[in-house]
């Protein structure tokens, strides 16, 4: 009986790591309810941006003096504004410019930041110092203030707001890409590729760039929400698309004048911005967590 017991004991010891590994894998890929809600809300935003008519049937610019300042009811679920326009309709139609701004500004910041970061990380020491000193100067200014300065030169409008917010985010991505490039440049597979005679350009394109950018792309997902907030802040200050274009920041700017009597003019745009940023950030952080192999 002794050999049987030893064999059974040995089998138990060998089976336990497999069970633990399966349990850890299940925890890793477990989806939390909050993340599901965030994903559904982002899906709703995508639908609103592509086909807002699927969610609302009205015109966001249709005004009616008789319907002005109407509180939320069965006809206007979120109420009406000072011109009698339906708040829900305007919120839905404001999704597209907000998402376009967030995505386009992030793309601009990531593209330019990657160029400067790779230049600093792969160039000689004097070039690295020159590029990073310029980045440090830009980092000394808050993103919103830097965007305001840029808009002062380019002028107002949706396109100029996208450019301003994108350029304001360049220093942040440049530092991240540079730091990641320095890590990848010293990796063993990069040194091996260089030793085997692979050209510098091929090493950068095939080895350095993909491995340096991959974690930055996940962090850029989180940055989309921040750029949406920056765009809304600029619209709130009057530097976005001119009225009566539906924009969350512009709706907040107008609604603050009637806050005492019509709270819904401010509450719903503020809630839309908050839910959008929280949902996008939750998905981005989940992608970052899974890329690092961390438990939920």
């Amino acid at each position: 009986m002794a050999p049987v017991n030893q064999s059974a004991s040995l089998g138990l010891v060998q089976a336990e790591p497999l069970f633990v590994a399966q349990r850890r894998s299940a925890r890793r890929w477990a989806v939390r309810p909050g993340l599901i809600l965030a994903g559904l809300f982002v899906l709703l935003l995508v639908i609103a941006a592509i086909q807002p008519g699927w969610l609302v049937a009205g015109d966001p610019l249709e005004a009616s003096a008789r319907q002005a300042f109407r509180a939320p009811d069965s006809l206007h679920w979120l109420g009406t504004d000072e011109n009698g326009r339906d708040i829900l309709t305007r919120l839905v139609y404001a999704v597209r410019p907000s998402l376009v701004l967030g995505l386009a500004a992030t793309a601009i910041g990531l593209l330019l930041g990657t160029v400067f970061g790779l230049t600093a990380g792969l160039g000689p020491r004097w070039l690295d110092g020159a590029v990073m000193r310029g980045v440090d100067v830009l980092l000394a200014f808050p993103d919103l203030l830097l965007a305001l300065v840029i808009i002062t030169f380019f002028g107002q409008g949706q396109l100029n707001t996208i450019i301003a917010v994108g350029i304001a985010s360049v220093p942040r991505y440049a530092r991240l890409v540079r730091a990641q490039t320095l890590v990848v440049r010293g990796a063993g597979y990069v040194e091996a590729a260089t030793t085997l005679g692979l050209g510098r350009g091929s090493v950068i394109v095939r080895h350095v760039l993909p491995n340096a950018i991959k974690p930055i792309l996940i962090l850029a997902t989180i940055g989309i929400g921040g750029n949406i907030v920056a765009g809304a802040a600029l619209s709130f200050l009057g530097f976005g698309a001119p009225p009566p274009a539906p924009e969350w920041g512009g709706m907040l700017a107008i609604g603050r004048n009637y806050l005492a009597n019509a709270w819904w003019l401010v509450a719903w745009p503020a809630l839309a911005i908050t839910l959008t940023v929280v949902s996008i950030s939750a998905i981005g952080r989940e992608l970052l967590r899974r890329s690092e192999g961390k438990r939920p």
Side-chain angles (χ1 to χ4, degrees):
M1 295 297 294
V4 176
N5 291 337
Q6 291 178 358
S7 178
S9 177
L10 182 59
L12 179 61
V13 172
Q14 292 177 345
E16 184 176 2
L18 179 60
F19 171 74
V20 173
Q22 291 176 346
R23 185 170 60 181
R24 288 179 179 176
S25 178
R27 287 180 178 178
R28 179 182 177 185
W29 296 103
V31 180
R32 291 163 289 177
L35 188 63
I36 295 176
L37 293 177
L40 291 176
F41 187 78
V42 171
L43 177 61
L44 187 65
L45 291 176
V46 172
I47 295 174
I50 297 175
Q51 287 291 344
W54 290 358
L55 302 178
V56 291
D59 183 353
L61 303 180
E62 183 180 357
S64 175
R66 295 182 178 181
Q67 301 292 330
F69 297 113
R70 186 165 180 170
D73 55 21
S74 58
L75 183 60
H76 300 280
W77 290 0
L78 302 184
T80 61
D81 62 7
E82 75 283 358
N83 293 315
R85 296 171 297 197
D86 185 70
I87 296 293
L88 177 59
T89 302
R90 290 180 61 80
L91 284 179
V92 171
Y93 276 86
V95 171
R96 180 181 297 173
S98 297
L99 287 185
V100 168
L101 187 147
L103 293 171
T106 301
I108 292 174
L110 185 61
L111 178 61
L112 296 179
T114 299
V115 172
F116 289 122
L118 286 176
T119 302
L122 297 174
R125 181 169 297 181
W126 66 267
L127 182 59
D128 182 16
V131 172
M132 296 315 297
R133 295 299 77 76
V135 170
D136 290 340
V137 171
L138 295 178
L139 282 174
F141 296 91
D143 289 358
L144 185 59
L145 179 59
L146 184 58
L148 286 173
V149 173
I150 296 172
I151 287 180
T152 302
F153 289 97
F154 286 94
Q156 301 181 21
Q158 179 74 7
L159 179 59
N160 292 336
T161 301
I162 292 174
I163 295 174
V165 174
I167 294 177
S169 64
V170 168
R172 182 169 59 254
Y173 292 115
R175 290 190 67 89
L176 291 173
V177 172
R178 174 186 176 271
Q180 193 67 21
T181 301
L182 293 177
V183 173
V184 174
R185 188 177 66 175
Y189 57 85
V190 174
E191 295 180 355
T194 304
T195 304
L196 292 175
L198 199 63
R200 180 177 175 85
S202 299
V203 171
I204 293 175
V205 173
R206 295 175 58 181
H207 298 285
V208 177
L209 184 60
N211 291 283
I213 293 299
K214 183 179 179 180
I216 309 301
L217 289 175
I218 298 177
L219 292 174
T221 304
I222 302 176
I224 294 174
N227 288 336
I228 290 176
V229 173
L234 291 174
S235 296
F236 180 83
L237 296 174
F239 292 98
E247 276 193 344
W248 291 338
M251 295 171 68
L252 283 174
I254 296 175
R256 63 177 174 171
N257 300 321
Y258 310 101
L259 185 58
N261 300 321
W263 57 267
W264 55 90
L265 296 184
V266 173
W268 303 128
L271 182 62
I273 295 173
T274 302
L275 291 178
T276 300
V277 174
V278 169
S279 299
I280 294 176
S281 298
I283 294 175
R285 293 184 185 279
E286 179 68 12
L287 292 175
L288 180 62
R289 181 190 66 80
R290 293 192 176 186
S291 68
E292 295 175 350
K294 294 180 179 180
R295 297 182 183 181

